[in-house]
Amino acid sequence: MAIVKFELDVDDLLESFEELEDPRSQTNRKHPLPSVLMIAVMGVLAGNGGPTGIAAWANDKAEWLQSILDLPHGIPRKDVFRRVLIALNPEAFQSCFHTWTSGFAEDAWKSTGVGRPILSVDGKRPVAATIRPKE
């Protein structure tokens, strides 16, 4: 079976998280919340669990992440991921995440014609996606 590809837009995920309230105090907002969440989501989708794994993955992908995200102070450390993920409202995060996944599932269907596409992050499934840098 041939691989049908479509692109995920970074801005779609970032926009999905815009409505989330940043739980950090003003003095602890060195890294933009949407960028922290984007890295966390991508890190988990890439098979990394927990703040330490996410931070390690992000450091391995630092050059690429800095080309697609707003990271004025570089890659956040594991403590940033831990604090943000603990402090987030889980229901609000779930709602935003659902909005994003519903949107890209619809885009994948329109692009590929596959009713229930399988998003592949390893290239071993019929439908694969790449993440396009924000413009």
Side-chain angles (χ1 to χ4, degrees):
M1 181 179 276
I3 294 176
V4 180
K5 293 189 177 186
F6 70 100
E7 291 183 344
L8 295 175
D9 192 333
V10 170
D11 290 333
D12 290 343
L13 181 56
L14 293 173
E15 287 172 15
S16 297
F17 288 131
E18 280 181 351
E19 68 183 60
L20 273 180
E21 183 179 329
D22 195 332
R24 302 172 291 176
S25 71
Q26 291 291 346
T27 58
N28 290 329
R29 293 187 186 188
K30 187 175 177 182
H31 303 282
L33 181 64
S35 296
V36 172
L37 295 176
M38 180 81 167
I39 292 170
V41 168
M42 290 190 298
V44 169
L45 289 175
N48 300 282
T52 301
I54 293 167
W57 175 83
N59 283 316
D60 288 344
K61 305 293 183 187
E63 185 176 333
W64 175 66
L65 290 170
Q66 289 175 327
S67 75
I68 65 168
L69 297 172
D70 180 19
L71 295 166
H73 300 283
I75 301 297
R77 294 178 177 255
K78 67 180 179 180
D79 292 335
V80 173
F81 293 109
R82 182 182 53 77
R83 284 191 306 270
V84 167
L85 295 173
I86 286 172
L88 277 177
N89 176 317
E91 290 82 16
F93 178 84
Q94 181 179 6
S95 175
C96 293
F97 188 76
H98 177 69
T99 298
W100 175 65
T101 56
S102 297
F104 83 66
E106 183 177 328
D107 291 345
W109 177 79
K110 288 177 184 175
S111 176
T112 66
V114 177
R116 293 187 65 173
I118 298 168
L119 176 63
S120 173
V121 293
D122 62 5
K124 297 178 184 175
R125 299 278 185 225
V127 177
T130 56
I131 296 181
R132 181 177 65 222
K134 65 181 183 176
E135 297 175 17

